Amino acid sequence: MTTLDDKINTHFAGLVVRKDLVKTVKGNAIVPTYVLEYLLGQYCATNDEASIQTGIDTVKEILAKHYVHRNEAGLIRSNIREKGRYKVIDRISVSLNDKDDVYEAEFANLGIKKLLVDADTIKRHPKLLVSGVWCIADVEYDHSEDKRITPWVLSTIKPIQMSHFDLEGYLQARQEFTLDEWIDLLIQSMGFDPEKFGKRSKLTQLTRLIPYCERNYNLIELGPKGTGKSHIYSEFSPHGILISGGEVTVPKLFVNNSSGKIGLVGYWDCVAFDEFAGKKKRTDKALVDIMKNYMANKSFSRGVETLGAEASMAFVGNTQHTVPYMLKHTHLFDDLPENFRDTAFLDRMHFYIPGWEVDIIRGEMFSEGYGFVVDYLAEILRAFRNQDFSDRYQQMFTLSSDISTRDRDGINKTFSGLMKILFPHGEASEEEIEEILKFSIEGRKRVKDQLMRMDTTYPAVCFSYSDMQGQEVRVATLEELEYPNHYQQKVGDVEPQMALPDQAVAIEQSASLPSAPSSTVISTAEKALLQEQHLTFQENQKGISYDGLFGPYLKDARSLTITDPYIRLFFQARNLMELLEIIARNKPADEEVTINLVTVADEFRQEQQEEWFEKIQESAASIGILFTWEFDQTGTLHARHIITDHGWKISLDRGLDIFQQYDMNDAFSFANRMQQFRLCKAFEVTFIKCS
């Protein structure tokens, strides 16, 4: 176990589970994660290996004996008949038979219908009436000569969810963790390995949780396939429901006028629409209109009476085009069905998650560490729906007066949700609050900027905030910084000139509070006069390559020294090789270049490290690059820079390690073969003229 895992088990004993156990016990049981983790939490909420193994065996046995597979439903029904009583795990839904004035249950997999349910059970668990709930239930068989009476009897029913939790204990334990530790705990609770994500990517993942802790929160996420957009809404919480975007009707979602029965928004904390995108999908204009009113006013009416509800809404879907293509030709809502491209509807969105920044989920991204039993975390998040943290920044920062009430509401609700998730105890530094505030503003700005592209009647807005000293900070979306040539145009504008190829887009920032971002383009084709400059790059930027960033400054150098203490692991050695490729590409065939690497020996695998260097040396020598290396003996090497023999020093705060993890084994991945398609880490580069 890691140090963090030890700490998690110390402060949340009995409330956490090792996340890789879910795959171990699931087998072919088609059940949500929260059902499995409920069982694991009963038997495996420990860090004792012997107890974990015993618990795994117990959970497997419970699933094998009591989980109902559809193809084995006949056998289970026979067991119930023969034994008279049997415990099953199944999804149960209940409906009112108004002719006989009774409630009747139906089992999704078992195939049994019309089991009588008493009214007290419905009062305790009203969600049984809407789409069903996963339960552990005792079913009895009592045959009667009266053919009108079903022999099946529902004896007991227990929804798969926690019955109680200690909120005060949760708040006290939170104070034992640093912010980074707490974020990693939450990411592990979601099933991911935090080492595979940067800070911005972690915040993006956690934003998906806001609909569970913030009332009437409207979230949209559009991006490529395979990024796990719907996972949180289908398997993370028993208080959320995921429905297909094309399969919901006004009566099902809001209220049935003929029966007076309230729809999904009255029973669930979060209603998520999967596969929401798709231009050819048919949509009901009446549904869009009533959704607009509900998302803005938390109420709805179908002509009978006005009703209110608290359900948040999340819309997730796939995009068909790249971000620069959409920005050049249309807008970032382009893939939605026509009726949902209504600007009034889209203006109700509080946050737009940039799904193109979320990496496609790979096997190595899943966690083997400890995280909360998701049902426990779901109950914690639900408890915070009654609280409002939206004012926690107002003693330190002020939003621009240019920001409208609707924009302000979106920013405040996102900020409140992230505060509940990250700082439930309410204690955060000014720097931490500023980071969350900027992230919240960016998500709402992404919505508003697209609305201004779609409809010219929307006025321009300066999304900025000021600190107590009056210093203004303007916020920009990442795609605005990456594609400035396309971002500001309106739909139907004359096509702008294409940006120069192989470029590195950067933001010039001050050391603490950034001013309005500006972009600097470095191109091997255009850069004749190099200049001293300091560039800062945001996490998840794309379009960055060693060639665009360093190429102009390394060209014509015949000797250079690379100082980087972290060339130890395979991916770091590969980074070095990719830098040498740039030098090889720009080097005249009849010239030689001498390169010396200064690094630190790997304490545990120096032999492997030197083997990689020897292979690089042998390969480089064949094309006129004389590569050597030396290990620092002082034990104090921290600097990371490149120094050339023609007067340039390139200072690198992260060394060559500027890219986030990608699948290096996938020969068909462009991110593997071309650096500009990789997501970057946050990093800074300074170019200094030495002579």
Side-chain angles (χ1 to χ4, degrees):
M1 291 200 305
T2 64
T3 303
L4 177 60
D5 287 332
D6 281 331
K7 194 169 186 178
I8 291 170
N9 276 281
T10 298
H11 296 287
F12 290 102
L15 299 171
V16 293
V17 68
R18 218 175 71 204
K19 289 297 171 171
D20 60 320
L21 299 183
V22 174
K23 289 184 288 185
T24 302
V25 303
K26 187 165 187 175
N28 62 347
I30 308 173
V31 294
T33 299
Y34 65 81
V35 173
L36 295 174
E37 291 200 10
Y38 175 86
L39 296 172
L40 289 170
Q42 303 295 306
Y43 301 99
C44 302
T46 175
N47 60 352
D48 179 69
E49 285 297 329
S51 299
I52 287 175
Q53 193 55 53
T54 302
I56 289 174
D57 294 339
T58 302
V59 173
K60 283 184 174 179
E61 183 180 356
I62 290 173
L63 287 173
K65 289 176 62 176
H66 302 294
Y67 171 73
V68 180
H69 295 273
R70 281 194 175 93
N71 58 352
E72 297 176 354
L75 177 62
I76 300 296
R77 290 196 297 267
S78 175
N79 285 339
I80 299 172
R81 179 184 180 277
E82 296 301 321
K83 296 180 180 180
R85 181 187 179 110
Y86 196 77
K87 190 183 296 292
V88 299
I89 299 175
D90 201 351
R91 188 176 183 87
I92 302 174
S93 57
V94 175
S95 60
L96 173 64
N97 182 338
D98 50 5
K99 292 183 179 179
D100 297 331
D101 192 29
V102 293
Y103 290 105
E104 297 175 339
E106 177 179 349
F107 285 69
N109 295 337
L110 192 56
I112 298 176
K113 301 179 180 181
K114 298 186 177 181
L115 284 79
L116 296 182
V117 182
D118 63 273
D120 287 339
T121 298
I122 301 302
K123 289 178 182 177
R124 290 196 305 272
H125 312 296
K127 287 182 183 176
L128 289 167
L129 292 167
V130 186
S131 300
V133 176
W134 281 93
C135 302
I136 299 175
D138 284 306
V139 182
E140 298 180 359
Y141 186 87
D142 185 13
H143 182 69
S144 171
E145 296 297 331
D146 189 343
K147 294 183 178 181
R148 295 174 302 172
I149 300 176
T150 178
W152 307 104
V153 179
L154 185 59
S155 176
T156 63
I157 182 172
K158 181 181 181 183
I160 304 288
Q161 56 190 76
M162 295 190 66
S163 57
H164 67 280
F165 64 93
D166 179 11
L167 181 58
E168 191 58 37
Y170 175 84
L171 298 178
Q172 290 178 358
R174 163 62 184 94
Q175 299 180 64
E176 301 298 324
F177 293 78
T178 66
L179 175 60
D180 288 339
E181 288 175 337
W182 186 251
I183 289 175
D184 287 354
L185 166 54
L186 293 172
I187 293 296
Q188 287 188 177
S189 299
M190 297 172 74
F192 295 120
D193 181 356
E195 294 297 320
K196 302 296 190 295
F197 298 85
K199 182 70 170 292
R200 179 180 171 90
S201 295
K202 292 174 185 177
L203 285 178
T204 298
Q205 292 287 345
L206 296 178
T207 302
R208 292 171 170 174
L209 300 180
I210 296 179
Y212 292 113
C213 65
E214 192 73 20
R215 290 173 174 165
N216 301 103
Y217 185 74
N218 307 318
L219 176 72
I220 188 166
E221 179 176 358
L222 302 176
K225 298 177 182 177
T227 56
K229 292 185 287 293
S230 61
H231 169 76
I232 288 297
Y233 309 110
S234 63
E235 305 215 338
F236 189 78
S237 171
H239 304 303
I241 185 170
L242 180 71
I243 57 178
S244 172
E247 294 182 0
V248 66
T249 62
V250 173
K252 183 177 180 181
L253 187 59
F254 292 105
V255 64
N256 188 317
N257 274 351
S258 58
S259 66
K261 179 181 175 183
I262 197 167
L264 299 173
V265 296
Y267 292 92
W268 299 93
D269 292 348
C270 175
V271 179
F273 299 81
D274 194 14
E275 300 174 357
F276 185 65
K279 291 184 179 181
K280 296 182 180 180
K281 284 188 176 181
R282 284 201 235 167
T283 53
D284 183 358
K285 185 65 168 63
L287 174 64
V288 177
D289 290 338
I290 196 170
M291 286 178 73
K292 282 193 290 190
N293 187 61
Y294 172 73
M295 292 165 67
N297 305 316
K298 309 169 191 174
S299 62
F300 53 92
S301 172
R302 295 198 63 210
V304 178
E305 62 177 322
T306 300
L307 301 171
E310 298 180 355
S312 295
M313 288 190 170
F315 305 89
V316 297
N318 298 327
T319 52
Q320 302 300 313
H321 302 289
T322 64
V323 172
Y325 181 93
M326 289 187 285
L327 291 177
K328 177 183 177 183
H329 296 283
T330 54
H331 47 78
L332 299 181
F333 290 118
D334 182 54
D335 285 297
L336 297 185
E338 182 179 359
N339 284 336
F340 283 112
R341 292 201 298 271
D342 181 336
T343 54
F345 168 78
L346 296 173
D347 201 12
R348 270 71 171 170
M349 299 296 175
H350 297 128
F351 196 96
Y352 187 147
I353 291 181
W356 47 87
E357 289 189 35
V358 182
D359 208 354
I360 292 175
I361 303 302
R362 305 184 301 273
E364 68 267 20
M365 296 171 72
F366 293 107
S367 174
E368 295 183 354
Y370 282 81
F372 291 123
V373 174
V374 291
D375 194 44
Y376 169 72
L377 182 55
E379 294 302 319
I380 292 292
L381 293 174
R382 191 179 200 215
F384 277 102
R385 289 175 73 85
N386 296 324
Q387 300 186 36
D388 181 13
F389 282 37
S390 62
D391 61 347
R392 301 300 172 95
Y393 69 86
Q394 293 177 6
Q395 292 183 348
M396 306 174 190
F397 304 102
T398 305
L399 294 181
S400 166
S401 59
D402 205 29
I403 297 176
S404 69
T405 300
R406 182 163 287 168
D407 294 330
R408 197 175 296 263
D409 287 345
I411 294 167
N412 287 344
K413 289 181 78 68
T414 302
F415 177 84
S416 176
L418 287 174
M419 281 293 293
K420 293 174 186 178
I421 293 168
L422 299 177
F423 305 100
H425 55 313
E427 298 176 10
S429 68
E430 182 174 337
E431 182 180 354
E432 291 166 340
I433 285 178
E434 182 179 16
E435 182 177 20
I436 297 175
L437 180 61
K438 287 176 67 175
F439 190 76
S440 303
I441 294 172
E442 183 186 343
R444 175 58 191 176
K445 185 179 190 295
R446 184 172 289 108
V447 174
K448 195 59 173 284
D449 285 351
Q450 300 315 302
L451 295 179
M452 289 190 289
R453 289 170 66 90
M454 299 165 69
D455 185 345
T456 56
T457 63
Y458 278 92
V461 180
C462 176
F463 281 87
S464 66
Y465 63 91
S466 301
D467 61 15
M468 291 299 100
Q469 286 72 46
Q471 184 167 359
E472 184 182 26
V473 180
R474 294 188 181 183
V475 177
T477 65
L478 187 54
E479 56 273 15
E480 180 178 1
L481 303 170
E482 288 183 303
Y483 311 108
N485 287 357
H486 298 313
Y487 193 82
Q488 301 299 339
Q489 71 183 89
K490 311 286 186 184
V491 175
D493 278 358
V494 177
E495 193 175 297
Q497 287 188 334
M498 290 293 292
L500 293 171
D502 193 21
Q503 60 180 327
V505 179
I507 319 151
E508 286 190 33
Q509 295 177 326
S510 60
S512 55
L513 296 173
S515 59
S518 59
S519 61
T520 304
V521 177
I522 305 172
S523 168
T524 55
E526 297 292 318
K527 207 67 171 173
L529 298 174
L530 304 181
Q531 59 183 4
E532 290 189 311
Q533 58 183 324
H534 176 77
L535 304 179
T536 301
F537 296 82
Q538 287 193 15
E539 182 182 323
N540 288 350
Q541 273 193 243
K542 285 185 178 180
I544 313 299
S545 70
Y546 288 165
D547 200 6
L549 196 59
F550 307 132
Y553 292 87
L554 301 182
K555 192 175 182 181
D556 299 328
R558 293 295 171 260
S559 174
L560 51 101
T561 300
I562 303 169
T563 302
D564 189 337
Y566 296 101
I567 308 291
R568 307 176 186 179
L569 304 178
F570 175 76
F571 80 90
Q572 295 167 338
R574 174 170 166 148
N575 287 340
L576 173 63
M577 187 65 184
E578 289 185 337
L579 180 65
L580 299 191
E581 289 174 8
I582 303 307
I583 296 170
R585 189 176 297 129
N586 294 323
K587 181 186 74 67
D590 56 355
E591 297 285 351
E592 289 186 341
V593 178
T594 300
I595 299 175
N596 184 51
L597 170 69
V598 181
T599 189
V600 174
D602 189 321
E603 182 180 355
F604 303 103
R605 294 185 295 181
Q606 182 176 344
E607 191 173 316
Q608 172 73 81
Q609 186 182 17
E610 293 203 67
E611 181 181 338
W612 290 333
F613 292 161
E614 288 170 0
K615 288 182 177 180
I616 293 174
Q617 185 181 59
E618 181 180 351
S619 178
S622 66
I623 61 170
I625 295 179
L626 308 180
F627 174 72
T628 59
W629 71 92
E630 59 183 279
F631 293 124
D632 176 71
Q633 304 298 326
T634 66
T636 60
L637 182 64
H638 298 292
R640 304 179 197 183
H641 53 245
I642 301 171
I643 298 178
T644 73
D645 64 342
H646 63 347
W648 283 102
K649 178 178 180 179
I650 306 172
S651 180
L652 311 165
D653 72 327
R654 297 194 64 95
L656 299 178
D657 185 17
I658 65 173
F659 300 111
Q660 297 186 34
Q661 290 193 19
Y662 57 94
D663 190 350
M664 290 189 289
N665 296 317
D666 186 354
F668 302 102
S669 167
F670 282 98
N672 184 8
R673 305 185 66 84
M674 302 175 72
Q675 292 180 331
Q676 58 265 41
F677 294 110
R678 300 173 192 169
L679 294 175
C680 283
K681 300 176 180 178
F683 71 99
E684 298 182 11
V685 182
T686 304
F687 299 90
I688 305 167
K689 186 67 174 175
C690 300
S691 61

